[in-house]
mmCIF file of all heavy atoms in Angstrom:
data_model
loop_
_atom_site.group_PDB
_atom_site.id
_atom_site.type_symbol
_atom_site.label_atom_id
_atom_site.label_comp_id
_atom_site.label_asym_id
_atom_site.label_seq_id
_atom_site.Cartn_x
_atom_site.Cartn_y
_atom_site.Cartn_z
ATOM 1 N N TYR P 125 -12.770 32.193 -13.491
ATOM 2 C CA TYR P 125 -12.311 31.818 -14.830
ATOM 3 C C TYR P 125 -10.826 31.500 -14.759
ATOM 4 O O TYR P 125 -10.034 32.260 -14.185
ATOM 5 C CB TYR P 125 -12.560 32.955 -15.826
ATOM 6 C CG TYR P 125 -11.888 32.759 -17.167
ATOM 7 C CD1 TYR P 125 -12.235 31.699 -17.993
ATOM 8 C CD2 TYR P 125 -10.902 33.637 -17.598
ATOM 9 C CE1 TYR P 125 -11.628 31.520 -19.220
ATOM 10 C CE2 TYR P 125 -10.283 33.472 -18.823
ATOM 11 C CZ TYR P 125 -10.644 32.406 -19.632
ATOM 12 O OH TYR P 125 -10.030 32.230 -20.846
ATOM 13 N N THR P 126 -10.436 30.376 -15.338
ATOM 14 C CA THR P 126 -9.038 29.944 -15.326
ATOM 15 C C THR P 126 -8.514 29.877 -16.759
ATOM 16 O O THR P 126 -9.119 29.224 -17.617
ATOM 17 C CB THR P 126 -8.890 28.561 -14.664
ATOM 18 O OG1 THR P 126 -9.406 28.613 -13.336
ATOM 19 C CG2 THR P 126 -7.427 28.137 -14.613
ATOM 20 N N TYR P 127 -7.397 30.560 -16.988
ATOM 21 C CA TYR P 127 -6.763 30.530 -18.304
ATOM 22 C C TYR P 127 -5.298 30.146 -18.141
ATOM 23 O O TYR P 127 -4.566 30.761 -17.359
ATOM 24 C CB TYR P 127 -6.867 31.892 -18.992
ATOM 25 C CG TYR P 127 -6.026 31.996 -20.241
ATOM 26 C CD1 TYR P 127 -6.339 31.236 -21.373
ATOM 27 C CD2 TYR P 127 -4.907 32.824 -20.282
ATOM 28 C CE1 TYR P 127 -5.557 31.316 -22.517
ATOM 29 C CE2 TYR P 127 -4.123 32.906 -21.421
ATOM 30 C CZ TYR P 127 -4.449 32.151 -22.537
ATOM 31 O OH TYR P 127 -3.669 32.204 -23.659
ATOM 32 N N VAL P 128 -4.878 29.124 -18.871
ATOM 33 C CA VAL P 128 -3.496 28.646 -18.825
ATOM 34 C C VAL P 128 -2.803 29.046 -20.130
ATOM 35 O O VAL P 128 -3.219 28.631 -21.218
ATOM 36 C CB VAL P 128 -3.423 27.115 -18.638
ATOM 37 C CG1 VAL P 128 -1.972 26.665 -18.552
ATOM 38 C CG2 VAL P 128 -4.187 26.693 -17.387
ATOM 39 N N HIS P 129 -1.762 29.839 -20.010
ATOM 40 C CA HIS P 129 -1.048 30.347 -21.184
ATOM 41 C C HIS P 129 0.216 29.523 -21.426
ATOM 42 O O HIS P 129 1.122 29.482 -20.587
ATOM 43 C CB HIS P 129 -0.675 31.817 -20.970
ATOM 44 C CG HIS P 129 0.038 32.437 -22.123
ATOM 45 N ND1 HIS P 129 -0.554 32.650 -23.355
ATOM 46 C CD2 HIS P 129 1.319 32.903 -22.243
ATOM 47 C CE1 HIS P 129 0.310 33.211 -24.173
ATOM 48 N NE2 HIS P 129 1.454 33.368 -23.535
ATOM 49 N N LYS P 130 0.252 28.845 -22.562
ATOM 50 C CA LYS P 130 1.412 28.047 -22.985
ATOM 51 C C LYS P 130 1.850 27.032 -21.923
ATOM 52 O O LYS P 130 3.033 26.778 -21.731
ATOM 53 C CB LYS P 130 2.586 28.962 -23.351
ATOM 54 C CG LYS P 130 2.313 29.846 -24.561
ATOM 55 C CD LYS P 130 3.532 30.674 -24.935
ATOM 56 C CE LYS P 130 3.249 31.500 -26.183
ATOM 57 N NZ LYS P 130 4.425 32.325 -26.570
ATOM 58 N N HIS P 131 0.874 26.467 -21.211
ATOM 59 C CA HIS P 131 1.116 25.403 -20.226
ATOM 60 C C HIS P 131 2.051 25.830 -19.096
ATOM 61 O O HIS P 131 2.576 24.993 -18.368
ATOM 62 C CB HIS P 131 1.685 24.149 -20.897
ATOM 63 C CG HIS P 131 0.851 23.639 -22.010
ATOM 64 N ND1 HIS P 131 -0.305 22.930 -21.812
ATOM 65 C CD2 HIS P 131 1.010 23.742 -23.369
ATOM 66 C CE1 HIS P 131 -0.833 22.606 -22.993
ATOM 67 N NE2 HIS P 131 -0.058 23.096 -23.948
ATOM 68 N N ALA P 132 2.258 27.131 -18.925
ATOM 69 C CA ALA P 132 3.222 27.584 -17.921
ATOM 70 C C ALA P 132 2.660 28.631 -16.969
ATOM 71 O O ALA P 132 2.961 28.618 -15.778
ATOM 72 C CB ALA P 132 4.475 28.135 -18.595
ATOM 73 N N THR P 133 1.850 29.553 -17.492
ATOM 74 C CA THR P 133 1.327 30.647 -16.678
ATOM 75 C C THR P 133 -0.188 30.542 -16.568
ATOM 76 O O THR P 133 -0.870 30.371 -17.584
ATOM 77 C CB THR P 133 1.702 32.013 -17.280
ATOM 78 O OG1 THR P 133 3.125 32.069 -17.462
ATOM 79 C CG2 THR P 133 1.275 33.139 -16.362
ATOM 80 N N THR P 134 -0.714 30.624 -15.335
ATOM 81 C CA THR P 134 -2.147 30.489 -15.094
ATOM 82 C C THR P 134 -2.703 31.782 -14.505
ATOM 83 O O THR P 134 -2.193 32.292 -13.506
ATOM 84 C CB THR P 134 -2.434 29.334 -14.126
ATOM 85 O OG1 THR P 134 -1.909 28.122 -14.668
ATOM 86 C CG2 THR P 134 -3.932 29.170 -13.900
ATOM 87 N N PHE P 135 -3.766 32.318 -15.136
ATOM 88 C CA PHE P 135 -4.463 33.507 -14.645
ATOM 89 C C PHE P 135 -5.829 33.081 -14.124
ATOM 90 O O PHE P 135 -6.563 32.351 -14.813
ATOM 91 C CB PHE P 135 -4.630 34.531 -15.775
ATOM 92 C CG PHE P 135 -3.329 34.975 -16.394
ATOM 93 C CD1 PHE P 135 -2.796 34.301 -17.483
ATOM 94 C CD2 PHE P 135 -2.644 36.072 -15.887
ATOM 95 C CE1 PHE P 135 -1.606 34.709 -18.065
ATOM 96 C CE2 PHE P 135 -1.451 36.490 -16.466
ATOM 97 C CZ PHE P 135 -0.935 35.815 -17.549
ATOM 98 N N GLU P 136 -6.188 33.567 -12.917
ATOM 99 C CA GLU P 136 -7.466 33.175 -12.326
ATOM 100 C C GLU P 136 -8.154 34.375 -11.670
ATOM 101 O O GLU P 136 -7.981 34.626 -10.476
ATOM 102 C CB GLU P 136 -7.282 32.067 -11.293
ATOM 103 C CG GLU P 136 -6.935 30.720 -11.882
ATOM 104 C CD GLU P 136 -6.898 29.623 -10.838
ATOM 105 O OE1 GLU P 136 -6.374 29.867 -9.734
ATOM 106 O OE2 GLU P 136 -7.398 28.527 -11.117
#
Side-chain angles (χ1 to χ4, degrees):
Y125 169 63
T126 302
Y127 170 67
V128 182
H129 181 67
K130 295 183 177 180
H131 305 283
T133 306
T134 302
F135 302 90
E136 288 186 318

